[in-house]
Amino acid sequence: MGVSSNKVESLPNTTPYLESDTSISILTTQPLEIHKVSLPPNKTTFQSIKQRLGEVFFPDDPLHQFKDQSPFKKLILALQYLFPIFLWGPDYTLKLFKSDVVSGLTIASLAIPQGISYAKLANLPPIIGLYSSFVPPLIYAVLGSSRDLAVGPVSIASLVMGSMLREVVSPDQDTVLYLQLAFTATFFAGVFQASLGLLRLGFVVDFLSKPTLIGFMGGAAIIVSLQQLKGLLGITHFTTKMGFVPVMESVFGETSEWAWQTILMGFSFLVLLLLARHISMRKPKLFWISAAAPLTSVILSTTISFIFKAQKHGIQTIGHLEKGLNPPSANLLYFSGSYLSLAIKTGIITGILALTEGIAVGRTFASLKNYQVDGNKEMMAIGIMNMAGSCSSCYVTTGSFSRSAVNYNAGAQTAVSNIVMASAVMFTMLFLMPLFYYTPNVILSAIIISAVIGLIDFQTALKLWKVDKLDFLACMCAFFGVLFISVQMGLLIAVGISMFRILLQVTRPNTVILGNIPGTQSYRNMGQIMRWVREEEERTIRMKECALKCIVLDMAAVTAVDTSGMEALSELKKALDKRSLQLVLANPVGDVIEKLNRSEKTWELFGSDSIYMNVEEAVAAVSSLLKYQP
């Protein structure tokens, strides 16, 4: 029977339905069968607590691989788990080594000038930046689980450490004490990071949601860039404060110190670096242009400085750098005294930032190559390398996004690329240090600006405004907190806003009117889905049943979703696609559908063909499609 109407009607022996302008058929349904709800099996308090803690601390079930294995096999698996190099090392080939050598040398050309520049950002001697690009990558190559992460100093952690320590101790007047506090802060950063990994508390890092992190990173990048105006303009007397207002007052209050020679050289090389970055972004195959630009700029500027005697024209240079490898610094660690609390606080804050960047970068490139990165193992690897680094004249290091992107594009296959990079840095420290004597300081400022400008993500901020106004507000609060108050306060604002949103969703969830949708299932945590997929695949193999083809995610209990949740859905979809598994959504409420539709990227990834009104329709539709597939 065909009808055409816009009214909601209720016919005898049928469920309520909504008719549209198109013709539809109405089928009489069977009487609704009422099922009794049976009680779940009894559990002791200990069993309940054990299950809950297991879901929180062991969602990936790391002990699964040890089941039904011989003692010797368990020993091998344990070594491979603790030291991933034993996992891929036995299968390492000359072909892989060739790829790693190329990528390692490529990132070394970027790591050397960046290491020197970032040390300057942390108010440390330039040689400390090279030390920090030598020991930590070697340790990570043994302990880390990412194949693409390139380890070394990073801009934001360097900025935060430099600003926090400089507020109390002058790096010029108390050089030894400043070094002590920097190494001690690095040690405590490592202890904090390794503890999070050992205790499997990786979810703590998730308190920094993506919107607040985007705002924080953008604000910090602008502050970093403004601070470099001192070097680009040749200003001698410059504020030690990090806020936007004092920096601009210092810039325009000291116009008499501006040096045209420095300005000409600085902005010329800055344009060159930005142009190289733009070319590489437009044409990814030309990534090597952006990677080689910093070292090329250092070589050219040093040559110009030497030929034209730049020091006589007011252009400051790096000066003498000591040759040799990392000297021990365990004797400089500061474990008692009035500055201990400062070192601990600085270490924890820089440790959180380093972990957030390192894990995010590692997971990003792992998803592109379809392999898993264990967050807790990464925390332990980063923590241990920072603890070891603090005893070998290094400051806080982690995985750098810019160097990791170059490493990935250069064809890195394993963590051996970090070993190659460290070897190139070692050669530089042993034999090439005198060549940096005439390197202008202004070129370091240009390198820093070109590196951090990519952290300002306008496009994502605009998408936040379009998709979720609250996420955009959180982003802007963190951004302006960094810009007009301080970097540390901006980070605290970011964490505070993230926690407030979590509490808001828990204590005041969205209230919606739900229709009678039969056959629903309970919603599950997406973070555990991959583990359940693996267990189901193992079960089907063991029981010789049909292979798993599709995952139906019941969204009935999800009354709201933010940008972080949509990103998690997208990553889950991509991960399952790479395993030839289909992911469909069922029972989404109106607010969730609206948010997914606003996010064009997420909507395109799923599409209307992957979203169904209820679980029954999803199963029926997917089953009919799979039935006719070979």
Side-chain angles (χ1 to χ4, degrees), residues 12 59 83 104 168 187 189 232 236 316 368 407 412 440 471 474 491 566 610:
F83 306 99
V168 181
F187 175 82
L232 285 177
T236 304
Q316 299 178 353
L368 295 177
N407 197 33
D471 276 348
L491 178 62
M566 286 186 287
S610 297

Side-chain angles (χ1 to χ4, degrees), residues 582-612:
Q582 186 178 357
L583 175 65
V584 299
L585 307 181
N587 285 326
V589 299
D591 184 63
V592 172
I593 284 291
E594 185 180 358
K595 289 287 182 66
L596 293 176
N597 188 44
R598 288 180 187 175
S599 177
E600 297 177 1
K601 180 180 178 182
T602 307
W603 186 257
E604 290 176 1
L605 188 63
F606 280 91
S608 58
D609 293 338
S610 297
I611 303 176
Y612 296 91

Side-chain angles (χ1 to χ4, degrees), residues 387-398:
M387 285 191 288
S390 68
C391 299
S392 54
S393 300
C394 304
Y395 76 108
V396 173
T397 55
T398 187

Side-chain angles (χ1 to χ4, degrees), residues 1-7 9 17 19-24 26:
M1 177 177 68
V3 296
S4 180
S5 173
N6 286 319
K7 298 182 296 181
E9 300 180 0
Y17 66 97
E19 296 183 329
S20 63
D21 289 333
T22 59
S23 295
I24 61 173
I26 303 174

Side-chain angles (χ1 to χ4, degrees), residues 145-164:
S145 59
S146 173
R147 306 172 193 169
D148 304 283
L149 204 66
V151 171
V154 292
S155 57
I156 301 301
S158 301
L159 169 70
V160 172
M161 174 175 283
S163 62
M164 291 186 68

Side-chain angles (χ1 to χ4, degrees), residues 78-220:
L79 289 174
Q80 291 176 342
Y81 181 80
L82 296 174
F83 306 99
I85 192 172
F86 289 118
L87 183 62
W88 51 263
D91 299 324
Y92 198 69
T93 62
L94 180 61
K95 182 179 179 181
L96 296 177
F97 179 67
K98 290 179 180 178
S99 299
D100 287 335
V101 167
V102 172
S103 57
L105 293 176
T106 304
I107 57 176
S109 67
L110 184 61
I112 292 171
Q114 280 191 352
I116 295 174
S117 303
Y118 292 160
K120 175 176 174 285
L121 195 59
N123 303 311
L124 293 168
I127 191 64
I128 301 295
L130 292 181
Y131 291 159
S132 303
S133 302
F134 173 54
V135 171
L138 294 176
I139 297 174
Y140 182 83
V142 177
L143 299 176
S145 59
S146 173
R147 306 172 193 169
D148 304 283
L149 204 66
V151 171
V154 292
S155 57
I156 301 301
S158 301
L159 169 70
V160 172
M161 174 175 283
S163 62
M164 291 186 68
L165 295 181
R166 189 167 187 167
E167 287 181 356
V168 181
V169 179
S170 171
D172 301 317
Q173 298 176 1
D174 300 310
T175 305
V176 175
L177 177 59
Y178 190 90
L179 274 177
Q180 285 182 298
L181 294 178
F183 294 148
T184 306
T186 301
F187 175 82
F188 283 111
V191 170
F192 176 73
Q193 293 165 336
S195 298
L196 288 182
L198 183 64
L199 300 175
R200 305 189 68 80
L201 298 174
F203 59 85
V204 173
V205 180
D206 294 334
F207 278 116
L208 274 176
S209 65
K210 184 178 180 180
T212 54
L213 194 59
I214 289 172
F216 171 78
M217 299 290 275

Side-chain angles (χ1 to χ4, degrees), residues 320-340:
H320 177 70
L321 293 177
E322 291 288 341
K323 290 195 298 183
L325 302 181
N326 302 38
S329 57
N331 60 315
L332 295 178
L333 296 182
Y334 187 97
F335 292 125
S336 62
S338 57
Y339 298 107
L340 180 60

